Amino acid sequence: MGTPLSRDPIADARRNWEEHGWADVAASMAAITAIMRTQQILLARIELTLKPFGLTFARYELLALLSFARNGSLPMKKASTLLQVHPTSITNAVDRLQDAGLVRRSPHPTDGRTTLVELTAEGRTLAKRSTAALNTGVFSDPGFEPDDIDQLIRILRDFRRNAGDFLGS
Amino acid sequence: MGTPLSRDPIADARRNWEEHGWADVAASMAAITAIMRTQQILLARIELTLKPFGLTFARYELLALLSFARNGSLPMKKASTLLQVHPTSITNAVDRLQDAGLVRRSPHPTDGRTTLVELTAEGRTLAKRSTAALNTGVFSDPGFEPDDIDQLIRILRDFRRNAGDFLGS
DNA sequence: GTTGAACCATTGGATGTCCTAGTATATTGC
DNA sequence: GCAATATACTAGGACATCCAATGGTTCAAC
């Protein structure tokens, strides 16, 4: 982006919190704000990598999910649940992927309420190629130390479980 | 926010990566995906807490930033830099905060290119009240262990520095 | 001084997310 | 079997974010 700041803005915010009598929650505020900013940086990198494929991250996630499904197809609701986004976000993504010829809708064989989303041949190819691009362009050098990656995975798994994302021990 | 899944979807994705020959980047993929999901959960909590005040997180951040500024005013560009968002996002936020009577625009005394944003009395009051709500409603019980919060702050600070957010040792 | 490069804010366009209905189909209870 | 409830998808609206382009203003080089 722009020129680097001379100081960490989140550390400054934490100082402000401490100086205003909120020292007890200052660290928590700093951690949460840092997660927000980190997500923003990572999303920008991912979107940049996916741009040549005409994909956004939202559409890529759906494509990747379908590529791992049994027949390359899933009910819309199932995709919404697994990707943990609002059903309307899936409708939106499927609309655009369908326009691009990467997926197609089909009725569920036994449940008239349900619509299946299915990868087309082009969709499967693009899923492979874009995943390869993300692996080499983003995931292979994420900017975290290996030990820190393990820490992150553990800390965020605990958080997500406590938040009710999934059951577990 | 529906029913919890029976399995961690990110752990499943990691397994898929490993089974497709991308084991070397699977952990990194899992960590990044977990950050995305964690951000989503936290943002939802924050927005829920801010809703009674008629604020979104984007507008709250600007309000809070102004409340810590010397005269309660900053150049738009400065706000954009400190909050690390695109200038147009600031324009958008200021438009809405101004409509709500919480901030006001004024010309810069010496630089004709620059516009200052300034907190109104109502804006300052709302900043205080909404910050108190976030402190008690979100930051006081973030869902991380205290030790993990310190780990997060360190890991994400290193990441942001490496990403060019700010200079530092 | 003039002129051209750099900088600031805004507008318009594309996306994505969520929420609130509204429509259609399933399932459950009596 | 029929009514009441639950579930699945879609349509429309509110917001936020980014990018590209536009109109002003400032600054620096000559």
Side-chain angles (χ1 to χ4, degrees):
Chain A
M1 310 286 180
T3 314
L5 296 167
S6 57
R7 305 151 53 77
D8 177 1
I10 294 180
D12 285 348
R14 178 174 181 171
R15 247 185 304 277
N16 281 329
W17 245 249
E18 288 167 346
E19 289 170 2
H20 282 75
W22 311 315
D24 53 330
V25 299
S28 172
M29 182 281 299
I32 289 175
T33 306
I35 289 172
M36 300 286 175
R37 175 58 184 156
T38 301
Q39 187 266 353
Q40 186 183 25
I41 294 169
L42 290 169
L43 182 59
R45 283 188 197 169
I46 291 171
E47 299 264 337
L48 191 66
T49 303
L50 291 176
K51 194 162 198 165
F53 302 97
L55 291 175
T56 63
F57 186 48
R59 298 179 211 169
Y60 167 77
E61 277 196 296
L62 181 53
L63 223 50
L65 181 64
L66 289 173
S67 76
F68 291 124
R70 282 288 168 263
N71 320 338
S73 82
L74 282 175
M76 307 270 286
K77 176 60 179 172
K78 187 79 176 174
S80 166
T81 302
L82 291 175
L83 295 180
Q84 308 188 95
V85 294
H86 203 274
T88 54
S89 298
I90 300 294
T91 296
N92 186 314
V94 170
D95 284 349
R96 297 166 192 280
L97 287 172
Q98 194 168 44
D99 289 347
L102 302 171
V103 304
R104 113 185 99 239
R105 280 179 169 92
S106 62
H108 190 286
T110 64
D111 189 336
R113 298 169 302 180
T114 299
T115 300
L116 296 177
V117 199
E118 185 183 1
L119 272 182
T120 64
E122 301 87 48
R124 187 172 292 281
T125 301
L126 196 63
K128 277 203 183 73
R129 294 202 296 129
S130 53
T131 296
L134 280 183
N135 282 340
T136 64
V138 179
F139 299 147
S140 71
D141 183 20
F144 298 114
E145 296 297 321
D147 288 349
D148 289 347
I149 290 180
D150 295 335
Q151 283 289 307
L152 275 177
I153 290 175
R154 179 190 62 74
I155 293 171
L156 301 180
R157 173 174 42 75
D158 291 349
F159 173 84
R160 292 180 296 113
R161 190 190 328 102
N162 290 336
D165 262 13
F166 59 93
L167 305 170
S169 44
Chain B
M1 293 286 181
T3 313
L5 295 166
S6 56
R7 305 151 53 77
D8 177 1
I10 294 179
D12 285 348
R14 179 175 181 171
R15 245 184 305 278
N16 281 329
W17 245 249
E18 288 167 347
E19 289 170 2
H20 282 74
W22 311 315
D24 52 332
V25 298
S28 172
M29 182 282 298
I32 289 175
T33 306
I35 288 172
M36 299 288 173
R37 174 58 185 156
T38 301
Q39 187 266 354
Q40 185 183 26
I41 294 169
L42 289 170
L43 182 59
R45 283 188 197 168
I46 291 171
E47 299 264 344
L48 191 65
T49 303
L50 291 176
K51 193 159 199 167
F53 301 97
L55 291 174
T56 63
F57 186 47
R59 298 179 212 170
Y60 167 78
E61 277 195 299
L62 181 53
L63 222 51
L65 182 64
L66 289 172
S67 76
F68 291 124
R70 282 288 167 262
N71 320 338
S73 83
L74 282 176
M76 306 268 290
K77 175 62 180 174
K78 187 80 176 172
S80 165
T81 302
L82 291 176
L83 295 179
Q84 309 190 93
V85 294
H86 203 273
T88 54
S89 298
I90 301 294
T91 296
N92 186 315
V94 170
D95 284 349
R96 296 167 192 282
L97 288 172
Q98 194 168 44
D99 288 347
L102 302 171
V103 305
R104 120 185 92 239
R105 282 180 170 91
S106 64
H108 191 286
T110 64
D111 189 337
R113 297 169 301 181
T114 299
T115 301
L116 295 177
V117 200
E118 185 185 0
L119 224 44
T120 64
E122 302 87 52
R124 189 173 291 280
T125 301
L126 197 62
K128 277 202 183 73
R129 295 201 296 131
S130 54
T131 296
L134 281 183
N135 283 340
T136 64
V138 179
F139 298 147
S140 70
D141 182 20
F144 298 114
E145 296 297 320
D147 288 349
D148 289 347
I149 290 179
D150 294 335
Q151 284 289 308
L152 275 177
I153 290 175
R154 179 190 63 73
I155 294 171
L156 300 180
R157 171 173 43 73
D158 292 348
F159 174 83
R160 291 180 295 114
R161 188 186 335 98
N162 290 337
D165 263 12
F166 59 94
L167 305 169
S169 42

